[in-house]
Amino acid sequence: MTLRVAVVGGGPAGIYAADILTKSDVDVSVDIIERLPAPFGLVRYGVAPDHPRIKEIIKALDRVLDKPEIRFLGNVNFGTDVKLEELQEFYDAVIFSTGAKSDRDLGIPGEEHSIGAADFVSWYDAHPDDAPTWDFEGATRVAVLGVGNVALDVARVLAKTADEMLVTDIPAQVFEGLKTKQITDVHVFSRRGPAYAKFSPLELRELNHSPNVEVVVHPEGFDVDADGMEHIGKHKSQKMVLDTLANWVGRDEVGKPHRIHLHFMEQPAEVVTDADGKVVAFKTERTHSPNADGTVEGTGEITEWPVGQVYRAIGYKSDALPGLPWDERKAVIPNDGGKVLDLEGNHIPGVFTTGWIKRGPVGLIGHTKSDAAETVGHLLELTTETAPQRSDEAVDAFFAERGANVFTHEHWLKLNEHEIALGEAQERLRVKVPTREGMLDAGQS
Ligand SMILES: Cc1cc2nc3c(=O)[nH]c(=O)nc-3n(C[C@H](O)[C@H](O)[C@H](O)COP(=O)(O)OP(=O)(O)OC[C@H]3O[C@@H](n4cnc5c(N)ncnc54)[C@H](O)[C@@H]3O)c2cc1C
């Protein structure tokens, strides 16, 4: 028997799921359906361009796509090009791994004048569905809300010079956009104390390596109470982060032209605009931690920071998929260990999920592997041959009739070569093609 499986979403979670399926005792045939021409999801369109070492994971993921049991069907959007009941004609099981691309809301006055980190990240990572330009609105000081790695990525890209970013894979439109930046000071705000900062120790220390950016850790709010001590006792990496921050707090500035300021125990209160709706300041409220569990409350002490833009890096959010149940509160597909559940809580036969759309947008690329293993375990246990049309040719005929311009793995390999060649000409590893038409052209011509 050969199980036929469709994976919807070609990010790391979907590719790991396909890989694990091929390593099982069962014969499988897997099609990965991806809305973009390029695979790899947020590894290509989320991980910061100046983190080439992490982007290298793409090479391992690409080797999976090379397996004979796996086909990549790019440039196909689930919901418009194909629906669940149509997929069930051709596949015994469908795994949804569509990840996350939107920003969470904050719920403060003036929020509509702030910018979601996901939009900015998509721009600097040259996502083909997003506008090619970015308006820094002449801001010299900006605020970034959040103390995770995405906040650090955003703060770093806002603070670094365009020339520093030119060694990366950014296309000309991003380089030109970054050159218009006049930002000298990036203020990063955390509502909790430094013991709870969720940065990776390596990413934090790396901030110090830029010749143009210095990190200023402000002493106000830099307090570690008994709960904070207990917390870092249980979380080794957060202890390393705290040690680094403690080394930097209050140190003398060395006079680099740009600064990233880290402020603790300041919670977002309001984005302040002028009569034309232009951001002129950001208000924060000092917090304190009166409870034994380390939670914080506002003290009523407000500070107004004169900034020209406010970036929210408080978390990504997944979007509901047409025809599938949705847990509005958690913004995930309701599931039990990857088995998709209907409104009564029963498993919908043959329908599974993995990655960020399964468990919410937290965790590193590596976490999507163990996640996929759990989902595939259930799939192999529960799935039988149910699809009436059991051939790749039937799938190809369906998409041809739909008028979908399927971008295959061979097309991606050609696009990949093209991007590497563009890079070589500029002594860079790669230069990304930033538009869908350009990607299709490079891969299919
Ligand atoms: C800004 C940022 C920086 C990060 N940096 C790091 C880092 O440095 N190191 C690290 O380990 N982790 C990092 N991560 C986390 C990592 O990217 C995630 O853990 C991982 O990408 C989640 O994988 P996923 O496959 O679930 O989702 P995604 O990577 O989001 O992939 C989902 C895929 O589904 C596709 N899709 C969506 N809707 C449809 C549809 N309707 N039809 C067809 N396809 C669809 C999308 O185009 C996408 O390709 C970062 C995340 C972000 C947001």
Side-chain angles (χ1 to χ4, degrees):
M1 147 174 126
T2 300
L3 271 192
R4 293 186 53 78
V5 180
V7 172
V8 179
I15 297 177
Y16 284 133
D19 190 33
I20 296 166
L21 277 165
T22 61
K23 289 175 176 159
S24 72
D25 297 338
V26 180
D27 278 343
V28 291
S29 159
V30 186
D31 282 352
I32 299 180
I33 292 166
E34 164 59 49
R35 77 168 156 207
L36 298 177
F40 317 125
L42 286 167
V43 186
R44 184 173 157 100
Y45 292 114
V47 170
D50 57 347
H51 280 166
R53 203 180 46 80
I54 296 165
K55 296 241 184 216
E56 284 284 286
I57 293 173
I58 282 179
K59 285 191 182 151
L61 295 173
D62 212 4
R63 281 196 292 275
V64 175
L65 297 182
D66 227 7
K67 290 190 170 189
E69 307 93 317
I70 298 176
R71 298 196 307 166
F72 175 71
L73 309 181
N75 200 39
V76 175
N77 188 40
F78 174 82
T80 51
D81 293 321
V82 65
K83 298 186 170 45
L84 175 58
E85 54 278 17
E86 291 165 337
L87 288 175
Q88 285 168 327
E89 274 287 300
F90 307 104
Y91 304 98
D92 305 313
V94 185
I95 303 178
F96 288 93
S97 51
T98 46
K101 194 184 175 292
S102 313
D103 284 287
R104 261 180 51 206
D105 296 333
L106 197 58
I108 56 165
E111 175 165 13
E112 65 278 19
H113 301 285
S114 68
I115 297 160
D119 289 340
F120 184 52
V121 168
S122 281
W123 171 72
Y124 68 59
D125 252 339
H127 194 292
D129 291 347
D130 291 302
T133 54
W134 191 264
D135 190 354
F136 291 98
E137 301 170 71
T140 53
R141 289 177 297 261
V142 296
V144 174
L145 320 182
V147 271
N149 287 331
V150 177
L152 276 195
D153 284 348
V154 166
R156 200 178 61 251
V157 176
L158 287 166
K160 273 184 167 182
T161 62
D163 283 341
E164 271 184 273
M165 294 295 289
L166 195 55
V167 292
T168 71
D169 62 9
I170 54 169
Q173 65 187 37
V174 175
F175 178 59
E176 292 305 322
L178 289 172
K179 277 206 296 196
T180 66
K181 203 159 50 74
Q182 295 169 36
I183 297 166
T184 55
D185 291 85
V186 179
H187 293 269
V188 180
F189 295 100
S190 165
R191 50 195 299 278
R192 303 187 76 181
Y196 300 92
K198 293 202 182 96
F199 309 134
S200 301
L202 209 67
E203 285 217 16
L204 178 66
R205 285 199 295 269
E206 179 204 326
L207 281 189
N208 225 19
H209 300 159
S210 161
N212 298 304
V213 182
E214 72 182 281
V215 187
V216 183
V217 182
H218 289 253
E220 306 80 22
F222 197 89
D223 304 321
V224 183
D225 58 13
D227 183 78
M229 288 306 289
E230 198 186 322
H231 182 79
I232 55 164
K234 291 188 211 139
H235 299 86
K236 197 165 156 238
S237 80
Q238 277 172 285
K239 159 104 176 58
M240 288 159 79
V241 166
L242 181 64
D243 288 346
T244 302
L245 292 170
N247 270 332
W248 293 351
V249 68
R251 66 181 169 174
D252 290 338
E253 292 184 28
V254 295
K256 293 183 189 174
H258 302 162
R259 286 155 296 278
I260 294 176
H261 304 261
L262 299 180
H263 303 275
F264 294 95
M265 308 294 280
E266 293 286 349
Q267 69 181 1
E270 185 183 346
V271 180
V272 185
T273 54
D274 64 13
D276 300 326
K278 183 170 168 26
V279 174
V280 290
F282 181 59
K283 284 185 187 171
T284 60
E285 180 183 14
R286 167 55 47 93
T287 60
H288 69 146
S289 178
N291 310 314
D293 62 358
T295 51
V296 293
E297 290 174 10
T299 60
E301 189 189 330
I302 301 287
T303 308
E304 187 164 317
W305 310 84
V307 297
Q309 285 187 321
V310 176
Y311 290 79
R312 298 183 326 271
I314 54 160
Y316 270 49
K317 187 162 72 68
S318 298
D319 297 311
L321 290 168
L324 275 139
W326 188 242
D327 182 330
E328 195 65 53
R329 198 176 57 82
K330 294 188 190 151
V332 296
I333 298 176
N335 71 90
D336 170 19
K339 293 179 278 177
V340 173
L341 305 178
D342 64 16
L343 295 177
E344 277 80 48
N346 300 314
H347 177 217
I348 305 174
V351 186
F352 299 86
T353 181
T354 194
W356 275 16
I357 189 95
K358 166 187 175 184
R359 64 184 153 82
V362 282
L364 297 172
I365 298 159
H367 297 137
T368 62
K369 203 178 209 170
S370 42
D371 205 19
E374 181 188 44
T375 295
V376 169
H378 290 307
L379 185 153
L380 291 172
E381 202 180 283
L382 296 169
T383 306
T384 53
E385 289 185 43
T386 50
Q389 301 199 51
R390 312 196 56 80
S391 71
D392 292 348
E393 292 71 30
V395 174
D396 297 344
F398 167 83
F399 283 125
E401 198 180 307
R402 249 317 124 82
N405 178 11
V406 178
F407 200 77
T408 64
H409 189 227
E410 287 66 41
H411 294 140
W412 153 250
L413 291 176
K414 252 186 103 180
L415 167 59
N416 187 37
E417 266 174 33
H418 175 74
E419 290 189 339
I420 291 170
L422 287 178
E424 263 165 12
Q426 300 176 33
E427 295 182 6
R428 295 156 69 188
L429 286 178
R430 164 189 306 274
V431 173
K432 267 185 187 165
V433 175
T435 62
R436 196 178 278 261
E437 305 76 61
M439 294 168 87
L440 295 177
D441 256 16
Q444 293 178 325
S445 62

